[in-house]
């Protein structure tokens, strides 16, 4: 059971603000609550209670933000820019190592996992 | 006006003032306890209590006098006027703070009557036993709450004294014997039955009830416990099987009973 | 005593060794399959289908507080006889234990006056005691109904479990009896619901106010059912038209009743702005000269403690409770800026909703401290202090004689058990008198009826 908002299927019994924040890349809890306030969704509203016009209104609000693919593209572009101009941060990203001076003798697993030139494929 | 006075007094009064504020305040008047919704108590201000000059309000003039006296005393002046004597006395409060109490004849008699009086236990021992077995990490009040709620539910359903229901259940469910392995030193060890005393029996019964309660539906411990106690009281509990198997082993090994 | 019998007596059930062993002997034990050990699984334990499906037994899935309220335990309680609470000769009946009039009780049930945690499940019907508090509230509040609600505003304050909410329901019952049912009872048992964000909300542009259709609809339904008789007598003062299920209704002044309007008008729950609630209140106001109105709001301090709701304006600023239709109604009548010609406003305090100087300053219990002004809602305080202010009613603890009569009543109805005093070494003192038990309970509860009931039923 899911409610489709912005091309994402969100669980029907989650709060609207929580569902948006959890499912949509680039939307956190605060942004989600702001969207709800703007559209006029009450705080305890659940996903399955949304009407069609409300979903459309949420979609409209979301389309004004840089989220999902656009945001991912932007992040990738930023990393790529750093690499092409040859900055230290760009090099570290390319090497898959921590960018902000953390130690690498051990514990660099998060950087190893995430830091790539093509971070969001 | 009064707030200005307080400010001045605090800065000038210095250590003398601050040290004895609390104690002399307590000596001067019984602490006015203000309950949440009672109207504001009409006690004189704190300063007026410490500085009792037979006046309802303290004027700037009095403050000046106080400050002047303090300054003169600091410079080694011997106290001669009322204010100075008062301040001088404040530096030696021991005499005023002495607590003298002598019990009256009547109080002594009363004490004697209570010397032999016995104090009943604060809680019922059976219930306490259950509470202590439920308790985890020393959270006794939480355990007490669970048991009290469970017994309340039992009362609501059965409308008899829940403590008696609990007692009866534990009596019914408690095993009579258990077995222990005795090492003989040879190849074969002996399994020897031994009788359980009342406390041990009760302990087994309670633990089995708690086991049974874990299998109930509700997410609330007290509701689960209440349901399990009631079903055990009605003779339906997995504890009875455990008890029977315990007895069965004991009977099988009855040849080894040591009398 | 049963205890002693238990200790000495024999239990006929399953006490014989040999009997129990035979009756519970197991038929067959499943043999392990030959061929050695089964291979132990490696790695993390994953959730199997069999693991997640543990068979659970038991009759209820409810938690304690819901189980107590919802499982209908009161039907197991013995039937008791008690006189009904009546307005007549009230002064002479102090200390008497009473039940509510049958018609009033059903009204109060609909209104939600009987709340959770009041231990109503112990008795067949809700019971209460005529205390000195009730006499006082009768003299200070009920007798002043003719002055109008703006001049007749009282807030009940007192310790935890001292009986503030019970006093509200007693007052409602008293008023109902005094006016022979010809009184409108408006009750909000939990006004927090208007601000915790569980109802939808929309902005009424014409009146510049937020409406909460879901909350209003439910409250109107309760109020309509409870006040059915009186609303059926009220003729509308203005013509009104509305559309329900595509049928247009045209109600004429002096012809149709308020009950018909409330029954057929579904505007209260509509998700578009409307004036139905306003119309309802204006009708009550119009009729209040003949039919007095008792507005009771329990947990009123929950509103003043944190006046801002969970709802947000489109610019993400929190909405004040007075910007809502119902919240404005609370404040208008609690501050006396609106008036029912006959009637009163009775507010209740809740000890669970926290304390704030907003209320205590408004009631004149605390002095205003300008240095703390930033944390105060001065506008709200001024509103509450206007029109002569709200008078504070201190709900007092019960005296010992009344605690004793309560204990006696509980004992008669099987709620209070006279358990023995147990000493060390299993010594006990049997045959205690009711006097001793009453003394003990008075000491434990300090005259607080809620705590008394808790000590009697839930302390072992």
């Amino acid at each position: 059971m899911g409610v489709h908002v912005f091309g994402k299927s969100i669980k029907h019994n989650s709060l609207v603000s929580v569902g948006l924040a959890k499912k949509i890349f680039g939307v956190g809890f605060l942004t989600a609550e702001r969207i709800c306030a703007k559209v006029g969704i009450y705080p305890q509203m659940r996903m399955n209670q949304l009407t069609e016009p409300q979903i459309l209104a949420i979609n409209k609000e979301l389309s004004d933000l840089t989220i999902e693919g656009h945001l991912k593209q932007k992040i990738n572009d930023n990393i790529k820019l750093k690499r092409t101009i040859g900055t230290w941060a760009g090099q570290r990203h390319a090497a898959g190592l921590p960018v902000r001076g953390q130690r690498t003798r051990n514990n660099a697993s998060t950087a190893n996992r995430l830091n790539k030139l093509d971070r969001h494929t | 006006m009064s707030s200005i006075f307080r400010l001045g007094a605090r800065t000038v009064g210095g250590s003398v003032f601050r040290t004895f504020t609390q104690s002399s305040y307590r000596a001067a008047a019984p602490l006015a306890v203000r309950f949440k919704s009672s109207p504001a108590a009409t006690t004189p201000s704190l300063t007026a209590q410490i500085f009792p000059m037979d006046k309802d309000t303290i004027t700037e003039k009095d403050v000046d006098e106080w400050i002047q006296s303090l300054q003169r005393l600091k410079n080694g002046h011997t106290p001669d006027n009322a204010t100075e004597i008062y301040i001088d006395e404040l530096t030696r409060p021991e005499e005023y703070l002495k607590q003298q109490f002598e019990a009256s004849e009547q109080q002594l008699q009363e004490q004697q009557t209570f010397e032999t009086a016995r104090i009943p236990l604060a809680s019922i021992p059976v219930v306490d036993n259950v509470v202590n077995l439920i308790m985890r990490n020393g959270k006794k009040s939480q355990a007490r709450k669970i048991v009290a709620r469970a017994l309340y539910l039992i009362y609501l359903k059965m409308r008899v004294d829940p403590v008696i229901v609990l007692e009866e259940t534990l009596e019914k469910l408690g095993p009579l014997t258990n077995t222990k392995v005795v090492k003989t030193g040879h190849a074969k060890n002996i399994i020897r039955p031994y009788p359980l005393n009342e406390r041990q029996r009760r302990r087994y019964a309670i633990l089995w009830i708690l086991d049974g309660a874990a299998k109930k539906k509700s997410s609330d411990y007290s509701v689960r416990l209440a349901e399990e106690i009631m079903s055990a009281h009605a003779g339906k509990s997995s504890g009875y099987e455990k008890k029977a198997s315990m007895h069965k082993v004991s009977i099988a090994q009855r040849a080894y009973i040591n009398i | 005593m049963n205890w002693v019998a238990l200790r000495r007596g024999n239990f006929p059930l399953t006490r014989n060794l040999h009997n129990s062993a035979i009756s519970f002997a197991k038929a067959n034990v499943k043999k392990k399959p030959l061929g050695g050990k089964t291979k132990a699984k490696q790695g993390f334990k994953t959730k199997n289908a069999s693991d997640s499906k543990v068979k659970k037994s038991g009759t209820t899935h409810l938690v304690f507080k819901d189980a107590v309220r919802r499982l209908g335990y009161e039907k197991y309680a013995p039937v008791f006889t008690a006189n009904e609470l009546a307005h007549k000769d009230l002064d002479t009946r102090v200390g008497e234990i009473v039940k509510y009039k049958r018609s009033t009780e059903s009204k109060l049930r609909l209104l939600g006056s009987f709340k959770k945690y009041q231990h109503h499940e112990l008795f067949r019907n809700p019971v209460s005691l005529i205390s000195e508090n009730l006499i006082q509230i009768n003299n200070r509040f009920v007798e002043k109904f003719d002055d109008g609600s703006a001049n007749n505003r009282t807030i009940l304050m007192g310790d935890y479990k001292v009986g503030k909410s019970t006093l509200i329901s007693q007052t409602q019952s008293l008023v109902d009896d005094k006016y022979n049912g010809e009184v409108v009872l408006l009750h909000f048992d939990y006004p927090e619901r208007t601000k915790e964000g569980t109802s939808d909300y929309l902005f009424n542009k014409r009146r510049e106010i937020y409406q909460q259709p879901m909350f209003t609809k439910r409250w109107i339904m309760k109020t309509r059912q409870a006040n059915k008789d009186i609303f059926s007598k009220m003729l509308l003062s203005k013509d009104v038209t509305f559309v329900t299920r595509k049928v247009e209704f045209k109600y004429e002044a002096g012809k149709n009743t308020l009950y018909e309007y409330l029954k057929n008008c579904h505007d209260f729950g509509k998700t578009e702005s409307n004036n139905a609630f306003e119309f309802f209140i204006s009708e009550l106001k119009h009729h209040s000269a003949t039919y007095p109105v008792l507005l009771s709001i329990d947990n009123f301090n929950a509103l003043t403690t944190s006046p801002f709701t969970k709802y947000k304006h489109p610019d993400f600023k929190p909405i004040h409770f007075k910007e809502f239709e119902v919240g404005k109604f609370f404040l208008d009548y609690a501050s006396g800026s609106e008036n029912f010609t006959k009637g009163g406003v009775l507010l209740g305090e809740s000890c669970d909703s926290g304390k704030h100087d907003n209320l205590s300053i408004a009631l004149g219990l605390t002095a205003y401290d300008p240095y703390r002004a930033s944390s105060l809602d001065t506008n709200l305080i001024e509103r509450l202090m206007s029109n002569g202010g709200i008078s504070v009613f201190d709900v007092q603890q019960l005296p010992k004689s009344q605690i004793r009569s309560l204990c006696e009543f509980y004992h008669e109805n099987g709620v209070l058990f006279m358990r023995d005093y147990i000493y060390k070494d299993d010594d006990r003192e049997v045959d205690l008198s009711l006097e001793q038990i009453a003394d003990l309970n008075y000491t434990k509860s300090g005259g607080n009826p809620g705590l008394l009931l808790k000590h009697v039923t839930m302390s072992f």
Side-chain angles (χ1 to χ4, degrees):
Chain A
M1 289 280 279
V3 179
H4 292 275
V5 178
F6 206 67
K8 295 270 177 181
S9 171
I10 303 178
K11 208 182 171 196
H12 67 288
N13 62 356
S14 66
L15 292 182
V16 175
S17 57
V18 173
L20 292 180
K22 289 267 179 192
K23 276 285 175 178
I24 295 173
F25 186 84
V27 175
F29 287 101
L30 190 64
T31 319
E33 278 176 18
R34 277 178 188 279
I35 291 170
C36 287
K38 207 163 179 188
V39 177
I41 289 164
Y42 60 94
Q44 291 293 316
M45 195 179 201
R46 306 270 163 182
M47 247 12 239
N48 57 353
Q49 293 170 321
L50 284 174
T51 58
E52 204 55 46
Q54 280 169 333
I55 292 178
L56 289 176
I58 292 174
N59 279 340
K60 189 166 167 283
E61 291 298 326
L62 286 173
S63 61
D64 294 342
L65 304 172
T66 321
I67 50 171
E68 286 290 326
H70 293 291
L71 183 59
K72 288 177 181 174
Q73 186 61 45
K74 195 179 161 193
I75 293 167
N76 281 347
D77 288 352
N78 287 347
I79 295 171
K80 207 176 273 172
L81 174 70
K82 281 180 180 167
R83 179 68 193 125
T84 45
I85 62 177
T87 60
W88 169 251
Q91 286 176 35
R92 298 296 279 182
H93 268 107
L97 289 169
V99 176
R100 298 183 185 181
Q102 297 99 317
R103 58 162 38 212
T104 51
R105 179 174 175 147
N106 32 33
N107 301 339
S109 54
T110 307
N112 192 15
R113 182 156 42 89
L114 298 175
N115 288 0
K116 297 168 199 156
L117 284 181
D118 230 7
R119 183 161 181 166
H120 295 290
T121 47
Chain B
M1 182 61 79
S2 62
S3 67
I4 295 164
F5 169 67
R6 260 188 252 126
L7 267 171
R10 216 174 290 147
T11 45
V12 180
S15 63
V16 176
F17 198 90
R18 230 176 287 139
T19 322
F20 300 113
T21 302
Q22 279 293 332
S23 49
S24 36
Y25 171 49
R26 224 174 269 145
L31 217 85
V33 181
R34 272 196 57 208
F35 288 105
K36 184 185 60 188
S37 47
S38 64
T42 51
T43 44
S45 75
L46 186 59
T47 328
Q49 286 177 40
I50 300 156
F51 195 43
M53 296 197 302
D54 303 334
K55 278 176 190 173
D56 293 335
T57 53
I58 294 169
T59 59
E60 287 288 319
K61 210 178 139 198
D62 299 327
V63 184
D64 291 342
E65 198 187 333
W66 173 278
I67 293 168
Q68 268 179 15
S69 319
L70 262 179
Q71 232 118 42
R72 276 200 289 174
L73 284 173
K74 267 187 189 171
N75 296 335
H77 179 77
T78 45
D80 46 13
N81 66 22
T83 315
E84 286 176 11
I85 290 169
Y86 181 71
I87 294 173
D88 193 47
E89 288 294 315
L90 269 184
T91 58
R92 295 185 297 276
E94 293 83 7
E95 218 165 295
Y96 302 100
L97 295 175
K98 240 180 240 167
Q99 288 200 339
Q100 289 169 333
F101 174 72
E102 269 181 37
S104 68
E105 194 71 9
Q106 199 189 353
Q107 284 168 329
L108 286 172
Q109 272 179 2
E110 208 175 344
Q111 190 209 359
Q112 283 209 328
T113 55
F114 283 116
E115 242 164 25
T116 52
R118 295 185 309 160
I119 300 166
L121 295 177
S123 51
I124 302 167
V126 186
V127 180
D128 241 14
N129 203 340
V130 181
V131 166
N132 287 340
L133 283 169
I134 283 179
M135 177 168 66
R136 291 283 173 272
N137 304 337
K139 296 189 177 178
K140 189 152 184 167
S141 66
Q142 205 173 331
R144 287 180 76 115
K145 193 171 163 186
I146 289 166
V147 176
R149 285 178 160 191
L151 293 180
Y152 181 65
L153 282 172
I154 293 170
Y155 167 72
L156 287 181
K157 183 86 186 185
M158 301 175 78
R159 298 282 165 177
V160 289
D161 191 348
V163 180
I164 291 182
V165 173
L166 180 67
E167 278 241 329
E168 282 177 8
T169 313
L170 297 184
E171 283 281 348
K172 269 193 234 172
L173 196 56
L176 295 175
T177 63
N178 198 4
T179 50
K180 61 184 170 188
V181 178
V182 179
K183 298 211 170 174
T184 53
H186 312 298
K188 197 184 168 196
N189 289 340
I190 293 174
I191 298 171
R192 174 170 289 158
Y194 66 97
L196 298 173
N197 66 24
E198 195 189 340
R199 199 177 159 73
Q200 289 166 325
R201 270 188 279 147
R202 204 197 268 165
R203 181 186 143 80
Y204 275 112
I206 294 170
L207 289 180
W208 291 339
I209 282 182
L210 298 188
D211 281 351
K215 294 192 187 87
K216 298 285 179 191
K217 239 190 279 178
S218 175
S219 61
D220 198 322
Y221 200 156
S222 51
V223 179
R224 293 199 300 267
L225 184 61
E227 287 192 339
E228 176 63 20
I229 291 173
M230 279 190 282
S231 63
H233 187 254
K236 285 174 286 181
S237 170
S238 57
Y240 288 111
E241 286 158 29
K242 289 175 188 166
K243 175 187 174 183
S245 66
M246 226 176 194
H247 284 180
K248 209 177 134 193
V249 177
S250 297
I251 289 174
Q253 306 292 341
R254 62 185 176 275
Y256 296 110
I257 293 175
N258 202 1
I259 302 168
Chain C
M1 198 66 200
N2 218 344
W3 281 81
V4 183
L6 265 176
R7 199 152 299 286
R8 294 185 198 133
N10 301 317
F11 283 95
L13 284 136
T14 59
R15 293 305 306 274
N16 293 328
L17 259 177
H18 43 276
N19 272 353
S20 62
I22 293 163
S23 60
F24 288 111
K26 256 189 184 164
N28 197 3
V29 182
K30 220 179 189 180
K31 278 176 189 166
K32 272 187 182 174
L34 292 170
K37 295 168 188 170
T38 49
K39 206 180 173 187
K41 271 184 185 174
Q42 298 248 320
F44 290 109
K45 204 177 178 183
T46 51
K47 234 186 184 180
N48 288 329
S50 58
D51 281 351
S52 60
K53 267 192 182 176
V54 178
K55 207 181 173 188
K56 298 274 181 183
S57 61
T59 52
T60 179
H61 65 280
L62 299 170
V63 295
F64 175 77
K65 56 187 179 186
D66 296 330
V68 159
R69 190 160 166 90
R70 287 216 239 141
L71 294 180
Y73 284 121
E74 57 272 6
K75 67 173 181 280
Y76 301 112
V79 180
F80 65 92
T81 52
N83 294 328
E84 284 168 352
L85 180 60
H87 183 260
K88 205 183 160 197
D89 300 335
L90 189 71
D91 297 3
T92 57
R93 294 173 64 192
V94 180
E96 194 181 328
I97 288 159
V98 288
K99 60 182 177 188
Y100 296 92
K101 234 163 109 179
R102 184 178 283 243
S103 59
T104 314
E105 191 190 310
S106 59
K107 269 188 197 181
L108 297 190
R109 267 189 206 290
L110 285 168
L111 289 172
S113 293
F114 302 127
K115 300 176 93 176
K116 269 183 182 180
Y117 316 123
Q118 287 186 334
H119 294 274
H120 289 304
E121 62 277 2
L122 283 170
F123 307 102
R124 189 56 80 92
N125 299 95
V127 287
S128 62
L129 180 132
I130 299 179
S131 62
E132 197 56 45
N133 293 322
L134 188 60
I135 311 290
Q136 288 293 324
I137 206 90
N138 183 34
N139 296 338
R140 277 177 53 179
F141 179 73
V142 178
E143 299 293 341
K144 276 174 65 188
F145 260 39
D146 294 344
D147 296 358
S149 74
N151 302 320
N152 191 14
R153 292 174 286 141
T154 302
I155 183 161
L156 305 179
M157 301 188 100
D159 290 343
Y160 176 64
K161 277 181 180 279
V162 81
K164 301 177 287 292
S165 299
T166 307
L167 196 54
I168 289 182
S169 41
Q170 281 182 324
T171 313
Q172 285 173 325
S173 168
L174 214 59
V175 171
D176 197 44
D177 190 64
K178 187 185 172 188
Y179 291 97
N180 261 327
E182 300 215 326
V183 60
V184 180
L185 300 178
L186 306 180
H187 184 63
F188 291 88
D189 61 329
Y190 193 74
E192 290 97 313
R193 203 159 281 143
T194 58
K195 45 171 241 177
E196 65 190 9
T198 47
S199 169
D200 53 348
Y201 70 124
L202 59 100
F203 190 60
N204 188 332
K205 277 181 192 147
R206 191 181 64 77
R207 287 164 60 206
E208 297 197 330
I209 207 162
Y210 282 95
Q211 290 180 312
Q212 291 166 302
M214 260 154 43
F215 174 82
T216 319
K217 175 181 73 183
R218 284 179 191 148
W219 183 77
I220 286 284
M221 202 168 118
K222 282 195 287 186
T223 311
R224 186 192 79 208
Q225 286 169 347
N227 294 298
K228 186 181 174 184
D229 297 343
I230 184 77
F231 284 165
S232 308
K233 286 180 193 166
M234 288 185 180
L235 296 172
L236 295 180
S237 65
K238 279 179 269 181
D239 291 350
V240 65
T241 53
F242 53 88
V243 181
T244 302
R245 295 206 183 104
K246 291 177 185 167
V247 181
E248 195 178 357
F249 287 82
K250 276 188 183 167
Y251 281 173
E252 289 172 29
K255 208 171 175 190
N256 295 92
T257 63
L258 188 59
Y259 182 74
E260 281 177 282
Y261 173 73
L262 292 178
K263 187 129 190 277
N264 291 321
C265 180
H266 292 187
D267 284 354
F268 298 101
K270 269 191 187 157
T271 50
E272 32 195 89
S273 48
N274 59 70
N275 307 322
F277 188 78
E278 197 189 19
F279 178 77
F280 168 61
I281 299 299
S282 70
E283 282 299 311
L284 289 184
K285 211 174 156 183
H286 176 79
H287 285 284
S288 60
T290 39
Y291 302 118
V293 180
L294 168 59
L295 169 63
S296 44
I297 306 169
D298 210 345
N299 301 5
F300 185 72
N301 59 336
L303 297 173
T304 53
T305 298
S306 49
F308 282 97
T309 60
K310 293 266 172 72
Y311 296 94
K312 297 276 170 43
H313 285 296
D315 60 357
F316 208 58
K317 288 203 175 102
I319 306 178
H320 198 282
F321 83 86
K322 72 184 176 195
E323 292 173 70
F324 284 99
E325 194 175 35
V326 182
K328 183 172 176 291
F329 171 65
F330 291 156
L331 197 55
D332 281 350
Y333 283 88
S335 67
S337 54
E338 294 281 342
N339 181 29
F340 290 123
T341 318
K342 267 181 172 183
V345 179
L346 189 61
L347 309 175
E349 192 205 18
S350 160
C351 289
D352 298 327
S353 304
K355 291 197 189 318
H356 198 276
D357 280 353
N358 273 347
L359 188 62
S360 50
I361 291 173
L363 300 175
L365 301 175
T366 317
Y368 172 68
D369 181 1
Y371 290 105
R372 293 199 51 228
S374 60
S375 69
L376 298 172
D377 189 340
T378 41
N379 191 351
L380 176 67
I381 295 171
E382 273 168 20
R383 285 289 303 273
L384 291 176
M385 287 176 101
S386 59
N387 300 309
I390 304 169
S391 70
V392 178
F393 184 89
D394 248 324
V395 182
Q396 301 292 334
Q397 318 272 22
L398 302 182
K400 195 175 158 188
S401 61
Q402 291 178 8
I403 291 287
R404 193 200 175 284
S405 61
L406 275 177
C407 283
E408 205 175 331
F409 177 78
Y410 294 156
H411 182 56
E412 280 164 12
N413 281 281
V415 172
L416 187 149
F417 295 101
M418 306 242 276
R419 302 201 181 90
D420 313 335
Y421 285 172
I422 308 173
Y423 298 97
K424 271 187 181 174
D425 309 327
D426 220 5
D427 245 6
R428 20 187 95 226
E429 188 177 324
V430 290
D431 295 337
L432 296 172
S433 68
L434 191 69
E435 224 47 67
Q436 274 170 301
I437 298 284
D439 280 357
L440 180 74
N441 280 317
Y442 180 66
T443 316
K444 273 169 144 185
S445 65
N448 187 317
L451 289 184
L452 170 74
L453 207 46
K454 205 174 172 186
H455 282 305
V456 164
T457 54
M458 290 175 78
S459 94
F460 298 96

